[in-house]
Amino acid sequence: MRNGGEPTPFLARQSERALEILEPLGVDQATRSAVLLAMEFDGAPRTIETFRKQHGKEVTDLLVALHRMSGLGSRVRSEPAADTPAQVETLRRMLLALADDVRVVVTALALHIADLESVAERIKLVERAEEQPSPPDNAPAPEDPFELGRRLGEETLLVQAPLANRLGIWQLKWLMEDLAFRMTEPQAYREIARQLDETRQEREAFVTTTIARLRDFLDRAGIHGEVAGRPKHLYSIHRKLKAKGLRFDQLMDIRAFRILVDTEAQCYTVLGFLHDHWKPLDSEFDDYITRPKANGYQSLHTVLLDSHGKPFEVQIRTHDMHQRAELGVAAHWKYKESGGSHASSGDYAARISWLRQMLDWGHGPSGQVRLGDDRVYALTPMARIIELPKGATPLDFAYHLHTEIGHRCRGAKVDGHIVPLTAELQTGQTVELMTVKTGGPSRDWMNPDSGYLRSPRARQKVRTWFHALDLAEGRTDDKAGDKATESSPDAERLKRSEISAEELILSKITKPKEASKGQVLVVGVDRMLTALARCCKPAPPDVIKGFVTRGRGVSVHRASCVTFARMAQDAPERVIETEWGNPKQAADARYLVDAVVVAKSRAELVRDIAEVLAREKVPLARMDSFPKGEQVTMNLSLQVADGGQLGRALSMIRDISGVVSAQRS
């Protein structure tokens, strides 16, 4: 993004060039005005007031958001940890949330490209040993263009290009990536450019001619379809060579085309035309329609040779397949970006998909589209980004940083102003915490109505602290006051942070006691919070083990669980003995277990399995089927009273005609 008021090269042409970049996208008049005024806007209150009077509220609001986005982004990227995958991904999200209006993001990207092109021009002048333009009077000495280009290029590949990719603005993405590639790896850039034995203009001419030929065929065949094509840009070639360890002569998609039609039958009709008019490479043909990829992606891929024997790739799919590929679970932005698995988490991915459907770049005016987010991105004084749920408070912020910081937090400053601990944080705010050396949380913090904590995880940390405090005093009343703990050495150690709540709980664990009425599990401490592990889903009479987690009580696993074995090896002091309670006292208890059934596929199979489960009174919570050839694999989630009931049900399922196997997973 832009540098929030700092001098940039060739300022006179920046706005005009950014507007040229945006014109093919069909942006509205307010966006055009904001682009042209961006260089004059410094974000000062007096400037904001003047601009509102002269240019209107909408344009000024765009400029304010752009200035705020650029300044904070620049500050965050100067932090030492800013290039870690998690921090980069959070920065991308924060910039989208800061913008609020997608027009701000697009404007910022165009201005960033103008910056890149200006620096690239300076680099060319230096490489040609030509005289550089003199800086204006009283301006600082210009920065080394090679170092500036390297820094801008790295930032572009980490932040701006992935943002353009997510929003589906391919034109800006390709332009940014090639500029950044030239600045960050000039030698590799020149080598790939040298190996492309035809100019970009020649490749683009081939693409134009071939598109016209394909459209003519569709018209003559009476097929309603769309044809698109482009020469692969340099950075994309470099990335593929590097990722797959290929030589340049092994690339088949330097020129690529995509054909969209209405039906599957039309896909194969088009494929026949292609193979009749160009020579196909049989080794490079993939039918992902008949055999979809694991993520649901469907398409026909074929590689053809032109009249000079040079390969080009064609993808053929229906409009529905394309919709799923671009906006559904197969959307390529999710797996082509680095930055942590949470980049494609459900809610965020759904918002991006919705946004891309709202934006039809280059096919009509792109007016105001609100991004929206259910997350807040606040900053530490050192510009580290903290991602929190919407409505989060300074206390949530404190507990996210560290449990002990949360326990000892007594006040906060937001953007330099003291605020109550119940204040709601906004994206882009800087939070500075005020803590005491000793002490603990207040019981009021656990009350959802008090407004202190919005994060369930933070409330659980407070609950664990008070559970440890009660345990140190041997109390059973959760609502007891703090005064009763003054004489307890363990309680004082807890308040002075000499021992953590988890360590105190571990020190108090004794041998297992008999379960009290109504308990399903018996552990060494009364009232200890327990939860059945989802990884192995234990049920009586499985041999079980307990593991004391941080802030979530005891996690109960099957003794044979691989996850438990790994955790026990890392922290053996957290393992505790656990046993099932009296089955008679837990007669109504149900346990969720998983089973896998493999069978020959037939119409009545699901009905027969359902009848067995109904007869054995085993509720079916979920069933997923995965057909493969003549067989089908069924994953069942069952609610059973104990292992015996599960064994009987699986035994009866194995007796069903066509069932190959049925076992607990």
Side-chain angles (χ1 to χ4, degrees):
M1 303 304 163
R2 299 202 39 73
N3 241 356
E6 295 180 10
T8 53
F10 306 101
L11 284 178
R13 295 189 62 252
Q14 296 290 87
S15 294
E16 290 82 356
R17 175 54 185 150
L19 190 56
E20 290 175 10
I21 294 168
L22 289 177
E23 280 302 326
L25 301 182
V27 294
D28 62 4
Q29 185 56 48
T31 306
R32 292 189 184 93
S33 299
V35 172
L36 294 174
L37 295 168
M39 294 301 170
E40 305 174 25
F41 189 81
D42 60 10
R46 182 176 295 178
T47 305
I48 294 174
E49 183 65 25
T50 301
F51 270 62
R52 279 209 176 105
K53 292 178 180 177
Q54 294 178 353
H55 306 288
K57 182 178 184 300
E58 184 178 9
V59 172
T60 305
D61 287 348
L62 289 174
L63 289 168
V64 169
L66 178 65
H67 184 79
R68 182 170 174 240
M69 181 182 182
S70 301
L72 276 173
S74 182
R75 179 183 161 207
V76 169
R77 290 187 295 274
S78 66
E79 189 214 352
D83 59 349
T84 62
Q87 190 74 172
V88 168
E89 171 58 28
T90 308
L91 174 58
R92 294 171 189 157
R93 293 179 177 224
M94 186 192 76
L95 291 176
L96 281 176
L98 272 170
D100 185 46
D101 186 336
V102 74
R103 294 176 297 176
V104 178
V105 182
V106 179
T107 302
L109 292 177
L111 288 167
H112 183 77
I113 292 173
D115 279 346
L116 286 170
E117 290 181 340
S118 295
V119 176
E121 186 63 29
R122 283 183 56 190
I123 291 174
K124 286 181 181 178
L125 290 173
V126 173
E127 288 176 338
R128 295 170 185 167
E130 295 181 9
E131 183 180 354
Q132 297 186 57
S134 301
D137 294 340
N138 302 321
E143 186 176 354
D144 174 32
F146 295 98
E147 175 59 24
L148 178 60
R150 183 194 61 78
R151 193 172 67 248
L152 277 177
E154 290 176 350
E155 175 190 321
T156 301
L157 296 176
L158 281 173
V159 181
Q160 286 86 1
L163 279 181
N165 187 38
R166 291 184 188 189
L167 297 177
I169 319 173
W170 317 121
Q171 302 96 314
L172 302 193
K173 171 182 177 287
W174 299 330
L175 190 54
M176 281 189 284
E177 286 182 339
D178 276 356
L179 285 166
F181 179 35
R182 186 181 187 279
M183 294 175 180
T184 55
E185 300 184 67
Q187 196 167 3
Y189 177 92
R190 284 191 290 268
E191 178 62 21
I192 291 177
R194 184 189 64 78
Q195 293 187 74
L196 287 170
D197 57 356
E198 55 185 351
T199 66
R200 186 173 187 86
Q201 288 76 15
E202 290 172 337
R203 282 181 284 139
E204 289 175 347
F206 173 81
V207 169
T208 302
T209 302
T210 304
I211 287 177
R213 189 174 177 184
L214 292 171
R215 286 174 177 165
D216 179 63
F217 161 73
L218 293 178
D219 290 341
R220 286 188 286 105
I223 297 174
H224 175 263
E226 298 177 17
V227 183
R230 65 176 178 86
K232 203 174 187 71
H233 61 298
L234 297 184
Y235 180 70
S236 181
I237 294 173
H238 168 71
R239 188 171 179 176
K240 191 163 188 176
L241 290 173
K242 193 173 180 181
K244 297 193 174 183
L246 300 174
R247 299 188 313 273
F248 185 85
D249 59 5
Q250 293 175 305
L251 288 178
M252 300 296 171
D253 60 347
I254 291 177
R255 299 168 299 178
F257 299 86
R258 180 176 293 151
I259 303 174
L260 305 182
V261 293
D262 293 331
T263 67
E264 285 188 18
Q266 291 174 346
C267 289
Y268 291 99
T269 300
V270 173
L271 180 68
F273 168 80
L274 294 175
H275 286 188
D276 285 343
H277 290 76
W278 287 279
K279 181 180 179 180
L281 289 179
D282 294 338
S283 61
E284 297 297 326
F285 173 70
D286 290 296
D287 185 349
Y288 294 119
I289 293 180
T290 304
R291 297 181 300 277
K293 290 186 178 182
N295 64 357
Y297 174 84
Q298 289 183 290
S299 185
L300 295 175
H301 290 194
T302 186
V303 174
L304 310 169
L305 298 179
D306 66 12
S307 57
H308 301 289
K310 295 177 180 178
F312 63 96
E313 183 187 61
V314 182
Q315 298 177 0
I316 313 165
R317 63 182 71 148
T318 68
H319 291 89
D320 288 341
M321 293 173 191
H322 184 65
Q323 182 81 356
R324 288 195 298 272
E326 293 298 307
L327 305 173
V329 295
H332 63 278
W333 70 265
K334 300 178 188 178
Y335 61 84
K336 281 198 174 182
E337 293 177 16
S338 60
S341 60
H342 69 297
S344 57
S345 60
D347 291 343
Y348 182 71
R351 283 195 299 276
I352 292 294
S353 293
W354 169 84
L355 185 58
R356 291 175 71 174
Q357 292 178 71
M358 293 292 292
L359 302 171
D360 192 13
W361 300 113
H363 294 83
S366 298
Q368 184 184 64
V369 178
R370 293 291 178 184
L371 293 169
D373 204 342
D374 60 357
R375 311 294 289 173
V376 170
Y377 305 89
L379 283 74
T380 68
M382 297 298 293
R384 176 186 167 198
I385 307 171
I386 304 299
E387 182 178 353
L388 299 164
K390 197 169 186 66
T393 66
L395 267 181
D396 289 303
F397 184 93
Y399 275 107
H400 185 96
L401 291 177
H402 195 280
T403 302
E404 289 302 321
I405 294 177
H407 290 340
R408 294 184 282 110
C409 181
R410 294 296 180 270
K413 290 183 180 180
V414 173
D415 290 339
H417 303 287
I418 295 178
V419 298
L421 291 178
T422 55
E424 289 191 10
L425 299 178
Q426 304 297 320
T427 291
Q429 290 181 328
T430 299
V431 182
E432 182 180 354
L433 301 170
M434 294 177 279
T435 60
V436 293
K437 291 184 178 180
T438 62
S442 166
R443 290 186 186 271
D444 291 339
W445 295 358
M446 291 185 291
N447 182 0
D449 297 328
S450 67
Y452 283 101
L453 295 170
R454 298 297 178 87
S455 164
R457 182 181 177 188
R459 282 199 294 269
Q460 182 57 52
K461 289 181 177 182
V462 176
R463 192 175 294 112
T464 300
W465 193 90
F466 280 107
H467 179 71
L469 196 64
D470 293 342
L471 191 62
E473 289 298 314
R475 295 198 312 269
T476 60
D477 181 8
D478 283 335
K479 296 183 180 180
D482 289 349
K483 292 183 179 179
T485 68
E486 290 179 357
S487 61
S488 167
D490 283 337
E492 292 302 319
R493 292 178 63 204
L494 185 65
K495 290 182 177 181
R496 292 195 299 269
S497 301
E498 295 175 0
I499 186 172
S500 70
E502 290 85 357
E503 290 170 333
L504 181 57
I505 291 172
L506 283 169
S507 69
K508 296 295 181 180
I509 291 177
T510 60
K511 293 181 180 180
K513 300 177 182 179
E514 185 179 354
S516 59
K517 186 175 182 179
Q519 283 184 302
V520 176
L521 294 171
V522 179
V523 296
V525 180
D526 290 337
R527 298 164 42 253
M528 173 71 79
L529 178 67
T530 59
L532 301 181
R534 295 181 180 179
C535 52
C536 58
K537 297 183 179 177
D542 293 337
V543 179
I544 53 177
K545 295 284 187 179
F547 188 86
V548 179
T549 65
R550 296 186 182 275
R552 299 189 303 276
V554 175
S555 177
V556 180
H557 298 254
R558 282 195 265 174
S560 59
C561 176
V562 176
T563 301
F564 171 79
R566 186 177 66 250
M567 295 191 302
Q569 184 177 6
D570 293 340
E573 73 280 0
R574 292 181 174 273
V575 176
I576 64 171
E577 292 300 319
T578 317
E579 64 184 35
W580 297 107
N582 189 334
K584 294 181 180 179
Q585 296 173 344
D588 297 332
R590 286 279 171 178
Y591 303 87
L592 192 66
V593 297
D594 292 337
V596 179
V597 176
V598 179
K600 293 181 179 179
S601 183
R602 58 184 179 85
E604 296 82 10
L605 178 63
V606 174
R607 185 200 64 189
D608 293 346
I609 293 175
E611 286 181 354
V612 168
L613 297 177
R615 192 159 57 247
E616 287 299 302
K617 298 181 179 179
V618 177
L620 176 63
R622 178 173 178 152
M623 179 176 69
D624 296 313
S625 298
F626 302 94
K628 187 175 182 181
E630 296 182 354
Q631 284 192 341
V632 60
T633 300
M634 306 173 72
N635 293 339
L636 310 178
S637 290
L638 308 173
Q639 294 178 336
V640 299
D642 53 39
Q645 186 184 35
L646 174 65
R648 289 190 300 274
L650 293 179
S651 177
M652 296 179 70
I653 290 175
R654 282 191 288 268
D655 292 336
I656 294 175
S657 174
V659 172
V660 178
S661 65
Q663 58 189 8
R664 184 177 177 182
S665 60

